[in-house]
Amino acid sequence: MSSTAPVPPTSDPVLDLLQDPAHDPVHDLAVELRGAIAVSSRRIRAERGDAGLTDPQYSVLMWLDKRGPLTPGQLAELERVQPPTVTRTVNCLVEDGLVAKGEHPSDGRAVLVSLTAAGIAEVAETRRRRHLWLAGRLADLTDDERALLADAAGVLRRLAES
């Protein structure tokens, strides 16, 4: 009969946690937070403007709103997808009148993608609906719960930026 010997601790607390997560409160918190963030994110993303965009399509609009005109290659890099994927997405957005393709000022072979007035309006409407939905849920909380979430937002931002 063989028995499993306990795994000796390493000098890396993350590796220790991965080796035996069953009794670690940090692991339990990670599981709980990941689930709550995922569900919350999906629920917020469900609030959309009237264009009926997919998440990748809206994400392209958001990058263009944030960064200004970009090449499809730059969009692919930001989205962490292959260029043909972005090309298909951009072509759909062009057909819907939400983005336009134009000449690159310094590279005649490249195309610049930019938001149209309709694209700007779609981004604004989606943001408005998402903010209204979340503000409505926050209004239902107690002052103490809102203060707790305000503190947590700063911690979550620090985690995401690390």
Side-chain angles (χ1 to χ4, degrees):
M1 216 161 135
S2 68
S3 65
T4 306
V7 177
T10 67
S11 61
D12 185 340
V14 174
L15 289 178
D16 291 341
L17 186 137
L18 293 174
Q19 290 173 356
D20 185 19
H23 300 93
D24 191 320
V26 172
H27 176 269
D28 295 342
L29 177 59
V31 168
E32 193 64 29
L33 274 176
R34 188 178 51 76
I37 290 168
V39 170
S40 298
S41 180
R42 280 193 299 275
R43 181 57 191 92
I44 291 168
R45 282 194 322 263
E47 297 298 317
R48 301 173 187 265
D50 294 326
L53 300 177
T54 64
D55 287 340
Q57 289 171 330
Y58 184 71
S59 185
V60 165
L61 294 186
M62 289 297 299
W63 282 118
L64 295 172
D65 183 64
K66 185 182 228 180
R67 301 267 178 103
L70 297 166
T71 66
Q74 290 169 318
L75 285 166
E77 195 172 302
L78 290 166
E79 285 292 299
R80 295 185 174 126
V81 297
Q82 294 299 312
T85 302
V86 166
T87 299
R88 285 189 297 276
T89 301
V90 166
N91 287 340
C92 289
L93 293 169
V94 168
E95 288 176 22
D96 291 341
L98 299 171
V99 302
K101 293 182 193 176
E103 293 181 18
H104 193 286
S106 62
D107 183 351
R109 300 167 295 156
V111 170
L112 273 182
V113 181
S114 59
L115 287 174
T116 62
I120 292 168
E122 181 66 19
V123 169
E125 179 60 14
T126 298
R127 275 189 185 137
R128 185 187 74 77
R129 289 180 185 189
R130 289 176 178 182
H131 289 310
L132 281 175
W133 180 86
L134 186 54
R137 304 301 76 71
L138 293 173
D140 293 338
L141 301 178
T142 67
D143 290 343
D144 288 344
E145 289 171 323
R146 281 191 296 274
L148 183 63
L149 284 176
D151 291 342
V155 173
L156 288 170
R157 187 174 306 278
R158 275 199 340 263
L159 284 174
E161 294 170 353
S162 66

